[in-house]
Amino acid sequence: MLLGVNIDHIAVLREARKINDPDPLDALSLAKRAGADQITIHLREDRRHIDDYDTERIIENSQLPVNLECSINSDIIDVVCSYAPYRATLVPEKREEVTTEGGLDVKKYFNEIVEIIERLKDNEIEVSLFIDPDLKMIELSNKIGADMVELHTGTYANIYAMLYSNLSNTKHSIKELELPKSELKLKLIESIKKIEHSAKEAKNLGLEVAAGHGLNYQNVREILKIKEIVELNIGQSIIARSVFTGFESAVREMRELIN
Ligand code: PXP
């Protein structure tokens, strides 16, 4: 299983002060040394963390493949084509969200995505679509010519957190999930099954399968059992642990768990 380390949050910390420290570029060699297989960054339309200068330097200097997440906004796609990362992962993006909530609606934006995939492929950039674990979305992702799908594990991670930690005490608690534990357990099983069925279906169709969002050192274990998933992209939990143990050690710990 490959590990993509999402380093956006290093830039989040830098932007808290609007200075030049910490520099996400410094994470590249440490991530490689700790056994990461890929660097993942998200160039958001509002450039709230990773900016164009980061993107350019990261793609130029990374010894690991760079997976560049971006929206389907045409101007952003121009920028992505000009930097030519190894892969672009198309994600939905809303200004007001804290992080990417939900997968890309491949049905609604089918025509736009067709055109974007053509542009990315003309620039020899592999294309992944960040989608909910939903069979219809998988079928459409295959039809539209994506190389890979990344299954959104956010719902699974939220239910897991409601069951086993105190997510209900956070500002981002999800009201619908404030159910009795017995019901939450069923919902957790249901959410894993959805991911598993989706991964199997995607692989059967010939798509590569990644997964990500909300994965941490505890909840990743269930996802590791799904053999069709070949790559995980993980950010928040690794950077959170880095504050206490250091970035290299936090990446290495996740690497060892995944192995
Ligand atoms: N994969 C995609 C497509 C994402 O948008 C994100 C969040 O930026 C991640 C993975 C990583 O999620 P997290 O930071 O919750 O590990």
PDB file of all heavy atoms in Angstrom, residues 4 6 8-9 40-42 44 49 67 69 89-92 99-101 129-131 150-153 157 211-216 232-239, ligand 1:
ATOM      1  N   GLY A   4       0.745   8.423   0.474  1.00  0.00           N
ATOM      2  CA  GLY A   4       0.899   9.812   0.036  1.00  0.00           C
ATOM      3  C   GLY A   4       0.734  10.704   1.255  1.00  0.00           C
ATOM      4  O   GLY A   4      -0.259  10.584   1.977  1.00  0.00           O
ATOM      5  N   ASN A   6       0.021  14.226   2.739  1.00  0.00           N
ATOM      6  CA  ASN A   6      -0.517  15.542   2.387  1.00  0.00           C
ATOM      7  C   ASN A   6       0.127  16.598   3.304  1.00  0.00           C
ATOM      8  O   ASN A   6      -0.026  16.525   4.526  1.00  0.00           O
ATOM      9  CB  ASN A   6      -2.044  15.518   2.552  1.00  0.00           C
ATOM     10  CG  ASN A   6      -2.673  16.836   2.150  1.00  0.00           C
ATOM     11  OD1 ASN A   6      -2.190  17.895   2.543  1.00  0.00           O
ATOM     12  ND2 ASN A   6      -3.739  16.787   1.383  1.00  0.00           N
ATOM     13  N   ASP A   8      -0.278  19.992   3.134  1.00  0.00           N
ATOM     14  CA  ASP A   8      -0.966  21.303   3.149  1.00  0.00           C
ATOM     15  C   ASP A   8      -0.882  22.003   4.507  1.00  0.00           C
ATOM     16  O   ASP A   8      -0.738  23.219   4.595  1.00  0.00           O
ATOM     17  CB  ASP A   8      -2.467  21.131   2.843  1.00  0.00           C
ATOM     18  CG  ASP A   8      -2.727  20.678   1.433  1.00  0.00           C
ATOM     19  OD1 ASP A   8      -1.804  20.739   0.601  1.00  0.00           O
ATOM     20  OD2 ASP A   8      -3.869  20.262   1.172  1.00  0.00           O
ATOM     21  N   HIS A   9      -0.998  21.187   5.579  1.00  0.00           N
ATOM     22  CA  HIS A   9      -1.086  21.807   6.905  1.00  0.00           C
ATOM     23  C   HIS A   9       0.202  22.476   7.356  1.00  0.00           C
ATOM     24  O   HIS A   9       0.180  23.285   8.280  1.00  0.00           O
ATOM     25  CB  HIS A   9      -1.568  20.798   7.947  1.00  0.00           C
ATOM     26  CG  HIS A   9      -3.024  20.477   7.801  1.00  0.00           C
ATOM     27  ND1 HIS A   9      -3.978  21.456   7.672  1.00  0.00           N
ATOM     28  CD2 HIS A   9      -3.680  19.309   7.741  1.00  0.00           C
ATOM     29  CE1 HIS A   9      -5.155  20.890   7.551  1.00  0.00           C
ATOM     30  NE2 HIS A   9      -5.001  19.586   7.577  1.00  0.00           N
ATOM     31  N   THR A  40       1.449  14.849  -1.489  1.00  0.00           N
ATOM     32  CA  THR A  40       0.149  15.345  -1.960  1.00  0.00           C
ATOM     33  C   THR A  40      -0.038  16.775  -1.468  1.00  0.00           C
ATOM     34  O   THR A  40       0.230  17.079  -0.296  1.00  0.00           O
ATOM     35  CB  THR A  40      -0.986  14.431  -1.442  1.00  0.00           C
ATOM     36  OG1 THR A  40      -0.830  13.135  -2.023  1.00  0.00           O
ATOM     37  CG2 THR A  40      -2.348  14.963  -1.799  1.00  0.00           C
ATOM     38  N   ILE A  41      -0.448  17.640  -2.389  1.00  0.00           N
ATOM     39  CA  ILE A  41      -0.760  19.024  -2.007  1.00  0.00           C
ATOM     40  C   ILE A  41      -2.051  19.448  -2.716  1.00  0.00           C
ATOM     41  O   ILE A  41      -2.398  18.902  -3.761  1.00  0.00           O
ATOM     42  CB  ILE A  41       0.385  20.029  -2.372  1.00  0.00           C
ATOM     43  CG1 ILE A  41       0.838  19.856  -3.821  1.00  0.00           C
ATOM     44  CG2 ILE A  41       1.552  19.887  -1.411  1.00  0.00           C
ATOM     45  CD1 ILE A  41       1.866  20.891  -4.284  1.00  0.00           C
ATOM     46  N   HIS A  42      -2.711  20.420  -2.140  1.00  0.00           N
ATOM     47  CA  HIS A  42      -3.958  20.928  -2.728  1.00  0.00           C
ATOM     48  C   HIS A  42      -3.772  22.419  -3.012  1.00  0.00           C
ATOM     49  O   HIS A  42      -3.611  23.208  -2.076  1.00  0.00           O
ATOM     50  CB  HIS A  42      -5.102  20.691  -1.733  1.00  0.00           C
ATOM     51  CG  HIS A  42      -6.459  21.068  -2.243  1.00  0.00           C
ATOM     52  ND1 HIS A  42      -7.607  20.778  -1.545  1.00  0.00           N
ATOM     53  CD2 HIS A  42      -6.872  21.713  -3.369  1.00  0.00           C
ATOM     54  CE1 HIS A  42      -8.656  21.217  -2.215  1.00  0.00           C
ATOM     55  NE2 HIS A  42      -8.241  21.810  -3.324  1.00  0.00           N
ATOM     56  N   ARG A  44      -5.579  25.307  -3.667  1.00  0.00           N
ATOM     57  CA  ARG A  44      -6.980  25.760  -3.632  1.00  0.00           C
ATOM     58  C   ARG A  44      -7.133  27.049  -4.417  1.00  0.00           C
ATOM     59  O   ARG A  44      -6.190  27.828  -4.559  1.00  0.00           O
ATOM     60  CB  ARG A  44      -7.430  25.977  -2.174  1.00  0.00           C
ATOM     61  CG  ARG A  44      -7.513  24.702  -1.357  1.00  0.00           C
ATOM     62  CD  ARG A  44      -8.158  24.984  -0.016  1.00  0.00           C
ATOM     63  NE  ARG A  44      -9.582  25.172  -0.141  1.00  0.00           N
ATOM     64  CZ  ARG A  44     -10.498  24.260   0.197  1.00  0.00           C
ATOM     65  NH1 ARG A  44     -10.121  23.107   0.722  1.00  0.00           N
ATOM     66  NH2 ARG A  44     -11.761  24.494   0.033  1.00  0.00           N
ATOM     67  N   HIS A  49      -3.620  27.946   1.709  1.00  0.00           N
ATOM     68  CA  HIS A  49      -2.400  27.378   2.316  1.00  0.00           C
ATOM     69  C   HIS A  49      -1.315  27.242   1.260  1.00  0.00           C
ATOM     70  O   HIS A  49      -0.471  28.123   1.143  1.00  0.00           O
ATOM     71  CB  HIS A  49      -2.679  26.087   3.101  1.00  0.00           C
ATOM     72  CG  HIS A  49      -3.666  25.123   2.484  1.00  0.00           C
ATOM     73  ND1 HIS A  49      -3.525  24.616   1.204  1.00  0.00           N
ATOM     74  CD2 HIS A  49      -4.788  24.559   2.996  1.00  0.00           C
ATOM     75  CE1 HIS A  49      -4.521  23.789   0.955  1.00  0.00           C
ATOM     76  NE2 HIS A  49      -5.314  23.739   2.011  1.00  0.00           N
ATOM     77  N   ASN A  67       1.283  14.475  -6.218  1.00  0.00           N
ATOM     78  CA  ASN A  67      -0.133  14.356  -6.546  1.00  0.00           C
ATOM     79  C   ASN A  67      -0.758  15.712  -6.210  1.00  0.00           C
ATOM     80  O   ASN A  67      -0.825  16.088  -5.047  1.00  0.00           O
ATOM     81  CB  ASN A  67      -0.720  13.227  -5.678  1.00  0.00           C
ATOM     82  CG  ASN A  67      -2.222  13.125  -5.749  1.00  0.00           C
ATOM     83  OD1 ASN A  67      -2.833  13.415  -6.777  1.00  0.00           O
ATOM     84  ND2 ASN A  67      -2.831  12.711  -4.653  1.00  0.00           N
ATOM     85  N   GLU A  69      -3.801  18.099  -5.930  1.00  0.00           N
ATOM     86  CA  GLU A  69      -5.260  18.183  -5.858  1.00  0.00           C
ATOM     87  C   GLU A  69      -5.700  19.559  -6.326  1.00  0.00           C
ATOM     88  O   GLU A  69      -5.065  20.567  -5.978  1.00  0.00           O
ATOM     89  CB  GLU A  69      -5.741  17.998  -4.423  1.00  0.00           C
ATOM     90  CG  GLU A  69      -5.474  16.653  -3.834  1.00  0.00           C
ATOM     91  CD  GLU A  69      -5.865  16.624  -2.360  1.00  0.00           C
ATOM     92  OE1 GLU A  69      -6.554  17.542  -1.883  1.00  0.00           O
ATOM     93  OE2 GLU A  69      -5.460  15.679  -1.690  1.00  0.00           O
ATOM     94  N   THR A  89      -5.446  15.284  -8.927  1.00  0.00           N
ATOM     95  CA  THR A  89      -6.659  14.699  -8.338  1.00  0.00           C
ATOM     96  C   THR A  89      -7.720  15.792  -8.315  1.00  0.00           C
ATOM     97  O   THR A  89      -7.539  16.836  -7.667  1.00  0.00           O
ATOM     98  CB  THR A  89      -6.384  14.176  -6.909  1.00  0.00           C
ATOM     99  OG1 THR A  89      -5.424  13.123  -6.985  1.00  0.00           O
ATOM    100  CG2 THR A  89      -7.651  13.631  -6.262  1.00  0.00           C
ATOM    101  N   LEU A  90      -8.800  15.559  -9.046  1.00  0.00           N
ATOM    102  CA  LEU A  90      -9.870  16.563  -9.115  1.00  0.00           C
ATOM    103  C   LEU A  90     -10.788  16.407  -7.907  1.00  0.00           C
ATOM    104  O   LEU A  90     -11.291  15.313  -7.632  1.00  0.00           O
ATOM    105  CB  LEU A  90     -10.659  16.402 -10.413  1.00  0.00           C
ATOM    106  CG  LEU A  90      -9.845  16.476 -11.716  1.00  0.00           C
ATOM    107  CD1 LEU A  90     -10.763  16.327 -12.939  1.00  0.00           C
ATOM    108  CD2 LEU A  90      -9.067  17.796 -11.808  1.00  0.00           C
ATOM    109  N   VAL A  91     -10.979  17.513  -7.206  1.00  0.00           N
ATOM    110  CA  VAL A  91     -11.780  17.496  -5.975  1.00  0.00           C
ATOM    111  C   VAL A  91     -12.845  18.603  -6.042  1.00  0.00           C
ATOM    112  O   VAL A  91     -12.649  19.596  -6.748  1.00  0.00           O
ATOM    113  CB  VAL A  91     -10.889  17.726  -4.716  1.00  0.00           C
ATOM    114  CG1 VAL A  91      -9.786  16.692  -4.623  1.00  0.00           C
ATOM    115  CG2 VAL A  91     -10.299  19.125  -4.680  1.00  0.00           C
ATOM    116  N   PRO A  92     -13.952  18.453  -5.302  1.00  0.00           N
ATOM    117  CA  PRO A  92     -14.908  19.559  -5.232  1.00  0.00           C
ATOM    118  C   PRO A  92     -14.328  20.616  -4.295  1.00  0.00           C
ATOM    119  O   PRO A  92     -13.551  20.288  -3.402  1.00  0.00           O
ATOM    120  CB  PRO A  92     -16.149  18.906  -4.625  1.00  0.00           C
ATOM    121  CG  PRO A  92     -15.619  17.763  -3.833  1.00  0.00           C
ATOM    122  CD  PRO A  92     -14.350  17.305  -4.498  1.00  0.00           C
ATOM    123  N   THR A  99     -12.458  21.947   5.051  1.00  0.00           N
ATOM    124  CA  THR A  99     -11.691  20.971   4.269  1.00  0.00           C
ATOM    125  C   THR A  99     -12.631  20.389   3.229  1.00  0.00           C
ATOM    126  O   THR A  99     -13.819  20.720   3.201  1.00  0.00           O
ATOM    127  CB  THR A  99     -11.097  19.885   5.196  1.00  0.00           C
ATOM    128  OG1 THR A  99     -10.320  18.978   4.401  1.00  0.00           O
ATOM    129  CG2 THR A  99     -12.168  19.096   5.930  1.00  0.00           C
ATOM    130  N   THR A 100     -12.099  19.518   2.347  1.00  0.00           N
ATOM    131  CA  THR A 100     -12.925  18.993   1.258  1.00  0.00           C
ATOM    132  C   THR A 100     -14.024  18.088   1.808  1.00  0.00           C
ATOM    133  O   THR A 100     -13.756  17.024   2.340  1.00  0.00           O
ATOM    134  CB  THR A 100     -12.040  18.184   0.278  1.00  0.00           C
ATOM    135  OG1 THR A 100     -10.860  18.945   0.033  1.00  0.00           O
ATOM    136  CG2 THR A 100     -12.763  17.905  -1.008  1.00  0.00           C
ATOM    137  N   GLU A 101     -15.257  18.574   1.666  1.00  0.00           N
ATOM    138  CA  GLU A 101     -16.395  17.815   2.212  1.00  0.00           C
ATOM    139  C   GLU A 101     -17.115  17.118   1.072  1.00  0.00           C
ATOM    140  O   GLU A 101     -17.651  17.765   0.196  1.00  0.00           O
ATOM    141  CB  GLU A 101     -17.369  18.776   2.919  1.00  0.00           C
ATOM    142  CG  GLU A 101     -16.795  19.377   4.187  1.00  0.00           C
ATOM    143  CD  GLU A 101     -17.533  20.648   4.590  1.00  0.00           C
ATOM    144  OE1 GLU A 101     -18.517  21.007   3.935  1.00  0.00           O
ATOM    145  OE2 GLU A 101     -17.083  21.267   5.559  1.00  0.00           O
ATOM    146  N   LEU A 129      -9.947  10.977  -9.624  1.00  0.00           N
ATOM    147  CA  LEU A 129     -11.150  11.712  -9.203  1.00  0.00           C
ATOM    148  C   LEU A 129     -11.461  11.359  -7.753  1.00  0.00           C
ATOM    149  O   LEU A 129     -11.536  10.174  -7.407  1.00  0.00           O
ATOM    150  CB  LEU A 129     -12.347  11.349 -10.091  1.00  0.00           C
ATOM    151  CG  LEU A 129     -12.186  11.550 -11.608  1.00  0.00           C
ATOM    152  CD1 LEU A 129     -13.474  11.144 -12.334  1.00  0.00           C
ATOM    153  CD2 LEU A 129     -11.831  13.006 -11.943  1.00  0.00           C
ATOM    154  N   PHE A 130     -11.610  12.393  -6.937  1.00  0.00           N
ATOM    155  CA  PHE A 130     -11.925  12.195  -5.513  1.00  0.00           C
ATOM    156  C   PHE A 130     -13.436  12.092  -5.391  1.00  0.00           C
ATOM    157  O   PHE A 130     -14.148  13.091  -5.541  1.00  0.00           O
ATOM    158  CB  PHE A 130     -11.394  13.398  -4.731  1.00  0.00           C
ATOM    159  CG  PHE A 130     -11.495  13.271  -3.234  1.00  0.00           C
ATOM    160  CD1 PHE A 130     -11.154  12.117  -2.572  1.00  0.00           C
ATOM    161  CD2 PHE A 130     -11.897  14.365  -2.470  1.00  0.00           C
ATOM    162  CE1 PHE A 130     -11.212  12.021  -1.191  1.00  0.00           C
ATOM    163  CE2 PHE A 130     -11.951  14.288  -1.091  1.00  0.00           C
ATOM    164  CZ  PHE A 130     -11.619  13.101  -0.449  1.00  0.00           C
ATOM    165  N   ILE A 131     -13.923  10.872  -5.171  1.00  0.00           N
ATOM    166  CA  ILE A 131     -15.382  10.642  -5.195  1.00  0.00           C
ATOM    167  C   ILE A 131     -15.850   9.930  -3.924  1.00  0.00           C
ATOM    168  O   ILE A 131     -15.070   9.275  -3.242  1.00  0.00           O
ATOM    169  CB  ILE A 131     -15.798   9.789  -6.424  1.00  0.00           C
ATOM    170  CG1 ILE A 131     -15.005   8.466  -6.463  1.00  0.00           C
ATOM    171  CG2 ILE A 131     -15.636  10.553  -7.718  1.00  0.00           C
ATOM    172  CD1 ILE A 131     -15.532   7.462  -7.460  1.00  0.00           C
ATOM    173  N   GLU A 150     -10.058   8.213  -6.021  1.00  0.00           N
ATOM    174  CA  GLU A 150      -9.714   8.243  -4.599  1.00  0.00           C
ATOM    175  C   GLU A 150     -11.030   8.253  -3.842  1.00  0.00           C
ATOM    176  O   GLU A 150     -11.854   9.169  -4.000  1.00  0.00           O
ATOM    177  CB  GLU A 150      -8.874   9.483  -4.260  1.00  0.00           C
ATOM    178  CG  GLU A 150      -8.527   9.506  -2.773  1.00  0.00           C
ATOM    179  CD  GLU A 150      -7.533  10.597  -2.392  1.00  0.00           C
ATOM    180  OE1 GLU A 150      -6.808  11.114  -3.264  1.00  0.00           O
ATOM    181  OE2 GLU A 150      -7.505  10.935  -1.191  1.00  0.00           O
ATOM    182  N   LEU A 151     -11.256   7.226  -3.048  1.00  0.00           N
ATOM    183  CA  LEU A 151     -12.532   7.114  -2.320  1.00  0.00           C
ATOM    184  C   LEU A 151     -12.487   7.968  -1.064  1.00  0.00           C
ATOM    185  O   LEU A 151     -11.542   7.888  -0.270  1.00  0.00           O
ATOM    186  CB  LEU A 151     -12.803   5.651  -1.968  1.00  0.00           C
ATOM    187  CG  LEU A 151     -12.856   4.689  -3.168  1.00  0.00           C
ATOM    188  CD1 LEU A 151     -13.044   3.247  -2.687  1.00  0.00           C
ATOM    189  CD2 LEU A 151     -13.980   5.069  -4.136  1.00  0.00           C
ATOM    190  N   HIS A 152     -13.517   8.781  -0.895  1.00  0.00           N
ATOM    191  CA  HIS A 152     -13.617   9.697   0.255  1.00  0.00           C
ATOM    192  C   HIS A 152     -13.956   8.879   1.503  1.00  0.00           C
ATOM    193  O   HIS A 152     -15.017   8.266   1.575  1.00  0.00           O
ATOM    194  CB  HIS A 152     -14.712  10.719  -0.038  1.00  0.00           C
ATOM    195  CG  HIS A 152     -14.655  11.944   0.818  1.00  0.00           C
ATOM    196  ND1 HIS A 152     -14.647  11.872   2.185  1.00  0.00           N
ATOM    197  CD2 HIS A 152     -14.602  13.255   0.492  1.00  0.00           C
ATOM    198  CE1 HIS A 152     -14.601  13.106   2.673  1.00  0.00           C
ATOM    199  NE2 HIS A 152     -14.561  13.969   1.654  1.00  0.00           N
ATOM    200  N   THR A 153     -13.055   8.880   2.472  1.00  0.00           N
ATOM    201  CA  THR A 153     -13.273   8.091   3.688  1.00  0.00           C
ATOM    202  C   THR A 153     -13.787   8.954   4.847  1.00  0.00           C
ATOM    203  O   THR A 153     -13.804   8.518   5.993  1.00  0.00           O
ATOM    204  CB  THR A 153     -11.953   7.382   4.101  1.00  0.00           C
ATOM    205  OG1 THR A 153     -10.900   8.352   4.098  1.00  0.00           O
ATOM    206  CG2 THR A 153     -11.594   6.253   3.157  1.00  0.00           C
ATOM    207  N   ALA A 157     -14.632   7.982   8.715  1.00  0.00           N
ATOM    208  CA  ALA A 157     -13.781   8.554   9.774  1.00  0.00           C
ATOM    209  C   ALA A 157     -14.623   9.301  10.809  1.00  0.00           C
ATOM    210  O   ALA A 157     -14.351   9.233  12.014  1.00  0.00           O
ATOM    211  CB  ALA A 157     -12.745   9.487   9.158  1.00  0.00           C
ATOM    212  N   ALA A 211      -7.546   5.971  -1.404  1.00  0.00           N
ATOM    213  CA  ALA A 211      -8.547   6.397  -0.424  1.00  0.00           C
ATOM    214  C   ALA A 211      -7.929   7.473   0.453  1.00  0.00           C
ATOM    215  O   ALA A 211      -6.707   7.549   0.598  1.00  0.00           O
ATOM    216  CB  ALA A 211      -9.001   5.211   0.432  1.00  0.00           C
ATOM    217  N   GLY A 212      -8.766   8.302   1.022  1.00  0.00           N
ATOM    218  CA  GLY A 212      -8.242   9.324   1.915  1.00  0.00           C
ATOM    219  C   GLY A 212      -9.315  10.227   2.463  1.00  0.00           C
ATOM    220  O   GLY A 212     -10.457  10.243   1.997  1.00  0.00           O
ATOM    221  N   HIS A 213      -8.947  10.959   3.471  1.00  0.00           N
ATOM    222  CA  HIS A 213      -9.709  11.957   4.216  1.00  0.00           C
ATOM    223  C   HIS A 213     -10.088  11.447   5.589  1.00  0.00           C
ATOM    224  O   HIS A 213     -10.807  10.465   5.720  1.00  0.00           O
ATOM    225  CB  HIS A 213     -10.959  12.461   3.487  1.00  0.00           C
ATOM    226  CG  HIS A 213     -11.302  13.856   3.920  1.00  0.00           C
ATOM    227  ND1 HIS A 213     -11.995  14.120   5.071  1.00  0.00           N
ATOM    228  CD2 HIS A 213     -10.973  15.050   3.402  1.00  0.00           C
ATOM    229  CE1 HIS A 213     -12.095  15.424   5.218  1.00  0.00           C
ATOM    230  NE2 HIS A 213     -11.473  16.017   4.225  1.00  0.00           N
ATOM    231  N   GLY A 214      -9.536  12.114   6.583  1.00  0.00           N
ATOM    232  CA  GLY A 214      -9.867  11.784   7.964  1.00  0.00           C
ATOM    233  C   GLY A 214      -9.198  10.524   8.483  1.00  0.00           C
ATOM    234  O   GLY A 214      -9.525  10.075   9.582  1.00  0.00           O
ATOM    235  N   LEU A 215      -8.271   9.954   7.726  1.00  0.00           N
ATOM    236  CA  LEU A 215      -7.635   8.722   8.202  1.00  0.00           C
ATOM    237  C   LEU A 215      -6.580   9.047   9.250  1.00  0.00           C
ATOM    238  O   LEU A 215      -5.867  10.051   9.129  1.00  0.00           O
ATOM    239  CB  LEU A 215      -7.012   7.951   7.028  1.00  0.00           C
ATOM    240  CG  LEU A 215      -8.026   7.459   5.986  1.00  0.00           C
ATOM    241  CD1 LEU A 215      -7.330   6.725   4.854  1.00  0.00           C
ATOM    242  CD2 LEU A 215      -9.084   6.554   6.638  1.00  0.00           C
ATOM    243  N   ASN A 216      -6.505   8.204  10.262  1.00  0.00           N
ATOM    244  CA  ASN A 216      -5.523   8.431  11.327  1.00  0.00           C
ATOM    245  C   ASN A 216      -4.917   7.098  11.779  1.00  0.00           C
ATOM    246  O   ASN A 216      -5.196   6.050  11.185  1.00  0.00           O
ATOM    247  CB  ASN A 216      -6.147   9.209  12.496  1.00  0.00           C
ATOM    248  CG  ASN A 216      -7.318   8.473  13.120  1.00  0.00           C
ATOM    249  OD1 ASN A 216      -7.326   7.248  13.178  1.00  0.00           O
ATOM    250  ND2 ASN A 216      -8.320   9.212  13.593  1.00  0.00           N
ATOM    251  N   LEU A 232      -3.019   5.424   0.028  1.00  0.00           N
ATOM    252  CA  LEU A 232      -3.744   6.270   0.985  1.00  0.00           C
ATOM    253  C   LEU A 232      -3.104   7.654   0.976  1.00  0.00           C
ATOM    254  O   LEU A 232      -1.874   7.773   0.932  1.00  0.00           O
ATOM    255  CB  LEU A 232      -3.651   5.689   2.396  1.00  0.00           C
ATOM    256  CG  LEU A 232      -4.235   4.296   2.605  1.00  0.00           C
ATOM    257  CD1 LEU A 232      -4.018   3.841   4.047  1.00  0.00           C
ATOM    258  CD2 LEU A 232      -5.722   4.268   2.260  1.00  0.00           C
ATOM    259  N   ASN A 233      -3.934   8.689   1.022  1.00  0.00           N
ATOM    260  CA  ASN A 233      -3.423  10.054   1.163  1.00  0.00           C
ATOM    261  C   ASN A 233      -3.843  10.584   2.527  1.00  0.00           C
ATOM    262  O   ASN A 233      -5.041  10.678   2.814  1.00  0.00           O
ATOM    263  CB  ASN A 233      -3.950  10.941   0.025  1.00  0.00           C
ATOM    264  CG  ASN A 233      -3.272  10.584  -1.275  1.00  0.00           C
ATOM    265  OD1 ASN A 233      -2.049  10.726  -1.396  1.00  0.00           O
ATOM    266  ND2 ASN A 233      -4.022  10.074  -2.232  1.00  0.00           N
ATOM    267  N   ILE A 234      -2.843  10.907   3.332  1.00  0.00           N
ATOM    268  CA  ILE A 234      -3.121  11.262   4.737  1.00  0.00           C
ATOM    269  C   ILE A 234      -2.382  12.551   5.094  1.00  0.00           C
ATOM    270  O   ILE A 234      -1.186  12.691   4.808  1.00  0.00           O
ATOM    271  CB  ILE A 234      -2.695  10.115   5.686  1.00  0.00           C
ATOM    272  CG1 ILE A 234      -3.339   8.788   5.235  1.00  0.00           C
ATOM    273  CG2 ILE A 234      -3.059  10.437   7.129  1.00  0.00           C
ATOM    274  CD1 ILE A 234      -3.039   7.582   6.101  1.00  0.00           C
ATOM    275  N   GLY A 235      -3.118  13.492   5.699  1.00  0.00           N
ATOM    276  CA  GLY A 235      -2.511  14.769   6.061  1.00  0.00           C
ATOM    277  C   GLY A 235      -2.652  15.116   7.522  1.00  0.00           C
ATOM    278  O   GLY A 235      -1.727  15.024   8.318  1.00  0.00           O
ATOM    279  N   GLN A 236      -3.874  15.515   7.909  1.00  0.00           N
ATOM    280  CA  GLN A 236      -4.151  16.058   9.245  1.00  0.00           C
ATOM    281  C   GLN A 236      -3.548  15.254  10.391  1.00  0.00           C
ATOM    282  O   GLN A 236      -2.863  15.805  11.256  1.00  0.00           O
ATOM    283  CB  GLN A 236      -5.681  16.156   9.413  1.00  0.00           C
ATOM    284  CG  GLN A 236      -6.181  16.391  10.808  1.00  0.00           C
ATOM    285  CD  GLN A 236      -6.150  17.851  11.220  1.00  0.00           C
ATOM    286  OE1 GLN A 236      -6.179  18.746  10.379  1.00  0.00           O
ATOM    287  NE2 GLN A 236      -6.084  18.108  12.506  1.00  0.00           N
ATOM    288  N   SER A 237      -3.778  13.941  10.401  1.00  0.00           N
ATOM    289  CA  SER A 237      -3.328  13.154  11.565  1.00  0.00           C
ATOM    290  C   SER A 237      -1.801  13.096  11.634  1.00  0.00           C
ATOM    291  O   SER A 237      -1.233  13.100  12.726  1.00  0.00           O
ATOM    292  CB  SER A 237      -3.933  11.746  11.536  1.00  0.00           C
ATOM    293  OG  SER A 237      -3.491  11.036  10.398  1.00  0.00           O
ATOM    294  N   ILE A 238      -1.148  13.070  10.490  1.00  0.00           N
ATOM    295  CA  ILE A 238       0.328  13.009  10.482  1.00  0.00           C
ATOM    296  C   ILE A 238       0.906  14.343  10.959  1.00  0.00           C
ATOM    297  O   ILE A 238       1.812  14.374  11.797  1.00  0.00           O
ATOM    298  CB  ILE A 238       0.852  12.643   9.077  1.00  0.00           C
ATOM    299  CG1 ILE A 238       0.497  11.194   8.734  1.00  0.00           C
ATOM    300  CG2 ILE A 238       2.366  12.870   8.977  1.00  0.00           C
ATOM    301  CD1 ILE A 238       0.915  10.719   7.355  1.00  0.00           C
ATOM    302  N   ILE A 239       0.346  15.432  10.464  1.00  0.00           N
ATOM    303  CA  ILE A 239       0.886  16.739  10.866  1.00  0.00           C
ATOM    304  C   ILE A 239       0.574  16.997  12.352  1.00  0.00           C
ATOM    305  O   ILE A 239       1.393  17.543  13.083  1.00  0.00           O
ATOM    306  CB  ILE A 239       0.334  17.878   9.969  1.00  0.00           C
ATOM    307  CG1 ILE A 239       0.626  17.597   8.479  1.00  0.00           C
ATOM    308  CG2 ILE A 239       0.907  19.230  10.393  1.00  0.00           C
ATOM    309  CD1 ILE A 239       2.080  17.443   8.097  1.00  0.00           C
TER     310      ILE A 239
HETATM  311  N1  PXP B   1      -7.301  13.232  -0.092  1.00  0.00           N
HETATM  312  C1  PXP B   1      -7.940  14.331  -0.552  1.00  0.00           C
HETATM  313  C2  PXP B   1      -8.463  14.305  -1.950  1.00  0.00           C
HETATM  314  C3  PXP B   1      -8.108  15.471   0.257  1.00  0.00           C
HETATM  315  O1  PXP B   1      -8.755  16.555  -0.219  1.00  0.00           O
HETATM  316  C4  PXP B   1      -7.564  15.472   1.554  1.00  0.00           C
HETATM  317  C5  PXP B   1      -7.714  16.685   2.421  1.00  0.00           C
HETATM  318  O2  PXP B   1      -6.976  17.726   1.912  1.00  0.00           O
HETATM  319  C6  PXP B   1      -6.866  14.327   1.987  1.00  0.00           C
HETATM  320  C7  PXP B   1      -6.778  13.217   1.161  1.00  0.00           C
HETATM  321  C8  PXP B   1      -6.227  14.268   3.335  1.00  0.00           C
HETATM  322  O3  PXP B   1      -7.177  14.345   4.325  1.00  0.00           O
HETATM  323  P1  PXP B   1      -6.730  14.490   5.847  1.00  0.00           P
HETATM  324  O4  PXP B   1      -5.971  15.761   5.962  1.00  0.00           O
HETATM  325  O5  PXP B   1      -8.010  14.479   6.585  1.00  0.00           O
HETATM  326  O6  PXP B   1      -5.851  13.295   6.149  1.00  0.00           O
END
